[in-house]
Amino acid sequence: MATNSFAARARQAWTIARIELRRAFFARRGLWVYALALLPAVVFFGHGVDAKVRMNRLTRGGLADPVLMNSVQKGETIDAVTARLGKPAQERGGTRVKRVRRHGDNQGTTTHAIEPAVEARFVRLNINRPTYSGDTTATIYEFEIYGTEAGQNLALGRPTTGSPPCTPDQGPEKAVNGSVAGGKNDAWCADDWPFFLQVDLGAARAVKRFVVKHASAGGESEELDTRDFNIQVSTDGRIFTTVVTSSGATFVDERMDYRTLVYFDGRREMRFQFVDGKMESRIIDYPLNFDEDRLVFAGIFQYFYLRLAVFFGCLGMFMYLFSGEMSNRTLHYWFLAPARRDVLLAGKYVAGLIASSVIFGGGALIAFAVMVWPHDAVEVQAYWNAGGMAHAFWYASAVVLGCVGYGSLFLAIGLYVRNPIVPAAVLLAWEGVNGVLPHALQKISVLYYLQSLCPVPPPMDADAPMLIRLLAAPAAPASRPAAMLGLLLLTALVLLIASRAIRRMEISYGAET
């Protein structure tokens, strides 16, 4: 017969925990938690290996004097830099091609003269290739027609027809209104083939010059200027003769030679970028930056490890302690054992806590060690002397206490529901918005206490919105003793609720789906 003494119940709980530990560590459906726990270590290991390989490759190219590297000024020639610094560790170059407007083109306006003048009542602009960019929308801001009288635009205000416009406000009449200053609604626009614009001069007139104002004449991109078009004239509107075949505001290729010289002083990689033989800019990069890596670790730890890895890892491990027994139809064996149900709850909780703490606490420490591993020994020693060991301790403590808190929640939830999706989503949302809740409500959250334990705040841009800042960290973090006490009290409350639930629990395998 089971005894009611505390020591006896503790021994029973430990016996149950030892039995459950193997399943907690090696359950097939829970092996994915190891991937979550080790992912940050894999990321930092890859970063370290890449940095080491990169530094070795640069070192083989020769080390440069850091003082001379700093002395290079904008505008210096390649010969001057190489004479002072020597052969670069790496060098690459090529030719950059930039599309620019052909010399003589005037803001998207093209002029086309005819000699001698021709008689025309109807003048038709046919567009074969509407843009340089490949866009299939034709845009003409003005189509001007001039005769023998200087300065008189015969097309101004005349009746026009054309392809269906893009919008009702961009009809063909906008191309003969004498204005380009009204934006896109001051131009004729068409987006369906065939593209044409036809002007009725009212009577046959002598025509000798055309002016076409394309998209960039109205302030749009040069890439939208008309590429290929022709102009036809007719006296009767039936038979048209082509008098102009042309391209619009054309572009030419401007070629620039560029080279990049890379120098390395053992810590810094400096890339000097030259255009047409002269230094335009330099970029300084540190293949290994200890301060930056520590901030990255703090960000990964809070944004990924605590919020996702530990959360979902405890979800999978603790909820399965009872729901898995129900699925396997073995829970009744535990209920028939000579042990109180609250002792069974305690034993299973201890097993899950040991397994999750070892897996995720170990994963955090491995990631921390791998983050430190590739850096200079002197720099690392200075970090240990300045409190690095304390940082590692508090990172591991935050993980263990995260398993304490999340484990109790998911163990209790597993007694009430079999499908974890809905409660997990609700709890994840609650933890996510915790930073914007009133301070009293923030304390009903595991993440609030865990963030207060972290030794380094996560990196945050100075211009990040206040809402993002609140979601990333508690508005008023607790002290570490208060955080640990608050989390333990919250856990005790949850386990008390769970112990009452398990005492009233009835097994009904037939209800399982």
Side-chain angles (χ1 to χ4, degrees):
M1 181 177 294
T3 178
N4 289 324
S5 71
F6 176 80
R9 292 200 298 270
R11 287 194 297 270
Q12 283 186 327
W14 176 241
T15 300
I16 294 170
R18 286 188 298 168
I19 295 172
E20 290 288 301
L21 270 175
R22 180 178 180 83
R23 191 157 65 98
F25 272 110
F26 303 111
R28 289 185 179 180
R29 62 185 299 173
L31 293 179
W32 54 271
V33 299
Y34 289 93
L36 280 178
L38 295 175
L39 182 59
V42 173
V43 171
F44 277 104
F45 182 74
H47 165 67
V49 170
D50 177 71
K52 288 283 190 180
V53 170
R54 180 176 163 191
M55 293 174 69
N56 288 337
R57 184 172 62 248
L58 291 170
T59 301
R60 286 197 300 270
L63 298 179
D65 187 325
V67 176
L68 295 180
M69 288 168 57
N70 293 335
S71 69
V72 178
Q73 300 296 318
K74 186 175 181 179
E76 290 194 52
T77 65
I78 291 178
D79 291 340
V81 172
T82 55
R84 189 157 74 254
L85 296 181
K87 182 181 178 181
Q90 290 182 352
E91 180 177 356
R92 50 184 177 270
T95 302
R96 183 180 293 119
V97 179
K98 180 182 178 182
R99 175 174 285 181
V100 297
R101 186 182 293 281
R102 183 180 61 191
H103 181 70
D105 286 342
N106 182 24
Q107 296 183 344
T109 300
T110 55
T111 301
H112 312 274
I114 305 173
E115 291 294 343
V118 296
E119 291 289 317
R121 174 180 174 179
F122 300 95
V123 180
R124 185 181 180 97
L125 173 67
N126 298 301
I127 298 176
N128 302 317
R129 300 175 70 182
T131 64
Y132 283 87
S133 66
D135 193 294
T136 56
T137 299
T139 303
I140 300 294
Y141 273 78
E142 279 297 304
F143 183 36
E144 300 174 356
I145 304 170
Y146 294 92
T148 55
E149 297 182 20
Q152 182 183 6
N153 178 9
L154 303 178
L156 184 63
R158 298 302 306 172
T160 57
T161 57
S163 306
C166 300
T167 68
D169 294 331
Q170 296 174 301
E173 70 280 358
K174 295 297 180 68
V176 294
N177 66 356
S179 170
V180 298
K184 293 184 178 181
N185 287 338
D186 199 10
W188 168 69
C189 169
D191 56 8
D192 195 13
W193 296 92
F195 298 118
F196 77 94
L197 180 68
Q198 184 169 305
V199 182
D200 182 357
L201 302 181
R205 308 287 296 272
V207 174
K208 60 183 302 184
R209 184 165 59 94
F210 306 97
V211 176
V212 184
K213 295 183 178 180
H214 307 274
S216 64
E220 298 188 50
S221 169
E222 295 177 344
E223 292 285 331
L224 299 178
D225 285 343
T226 315
R227 183 162 184 169
D228 294 325
F229 62 92
N230 63 62
I231 300 174
Q232 297 177 318
V233 297
S234 173
T235 56
D236 58 7
R238 295 178 59 194
I239 300 176
F240 285 82
T241 301
T242 300
V243 294
V244 171
T245 300
S246 181
S247 294
T250 56
F251 295 88
V252 295
D253 290 337
E254 180 181 86
R255 305 177 71 85
M256 294 180 294
D257 292 326
Y258 70 94
R259 287 174 67 186
T260 300
L261 304 185
V262 181
Y263 288 91
F264 185 60
D265 64 5
R267 295 183 67 250
R268 298 178 304 164
E269 175 186 350
M270 194 172 291
R271 297 190 291 273
F272 300 103
Q273 297 178 328
F274 296 83
V275 177
D276 291 335
K278 293 186 177 180
M279 206 272 278
E280 285 283 326
S281 62
R282 68 180 178 184
I283 300 173
I284 300 174
D285 188 19
Y286 291 82
L288 284 174
N289 186 325
F290 199 17
D291 292 335
E292 182 179 290
D293 282 354
R294 295 205 310 267
L295 285 177
V296 171
F297 183 88
I300 291 177
F301 184 81
Q302 287 209 33
Y303 296 137
F304 170 77
Y305 215 68
L306 292 183
R307 293 172 181 265
L308 296 177
V310 174
F311 181 92
F312 285 104
C314 289
L315 168 66
M317 296 179 71
F318 283 86
M319 283 200 69
Y320 186 68
L321 291 176
F322 279 101
S323 64
E325 298 272 15
M326 290 291 289
S327 299
N328 297 332
R329 299 174 182 263
T330 57
L331 183 59
H332 64 283
Y333 293 120
W334 282 114
F335 283 1
L336 292 174
R340 292 169 44 151
R341 291 190 178 187
D342 54 353
V343 173
L344 172 63
L345 178 77
K348 283 181 171 286
Y349 176 71
V350 169
L353 180 59
I354 292 173
S356 59
S357 298
V358 169
I359 293 171
F360 289 102
L365 290 176
I366 292 172
F368 189 83
V370 173
M371 180 271 293
V372 171
W373 153 68
H375 293 280
D376 181 74
V378 175
E379 197 172 18
V380 172
Q381 186 60 48
Y383 175 57
W384 294 136
N385 295 337
M389 285 294 185
H391 285 189
F393 171 80
W394 285 112
Y395 280 129
S397 299
V399 171
V400 172
L401 288 172
C403 295
V404 169
Y406 286 129
S408 65
L409 284 170
F410 289 120
L411 184 67
I413 291 172
L415 295 172
Y416 288 97
V417 298
R418 301 292 174 260
N419 188 340
I421 295 177
V422 174
V426 172
L427 185 57
L428 186 63
W430 174 264
E431 296 284 270
V433 301
N434 177 262
V436 299
L437 297 175
H439 189 61
L441 292 179
Q442 289 186 17
K443 296 179 180 180
I444 314 175
S445 164
V446 174
L447 188 61
Y448 168 75
Y449 300 108
L450 299 184
Q451 289 178 312
S452 301
L453 293 173
C454 293
V456 179
M460 182 66 64
D461 292 335
D463 56 351
M466 182 56 67
L467 178 61
I468 300 300
R469 292 175 177 270
L470 291 174
L471 291 175
S479 65
R480 282 174 178 161
M484 289 187 289
L485 179 61
L487 185 56
L488 292 175
L489 289 175
L490 179 62
T491 300
L493 177 62
V494 173
L495 290 177
L496 178 61
I497 296 172
S499 66
R500 292 181 177 179
I502 196 172
R503 283 197 293 266
R504 296 192 300 267
M505 186 176 182
E506 295 182 1
I507 301 175
S508 178
Y509 293 139
E512 295 294 307
T513 58

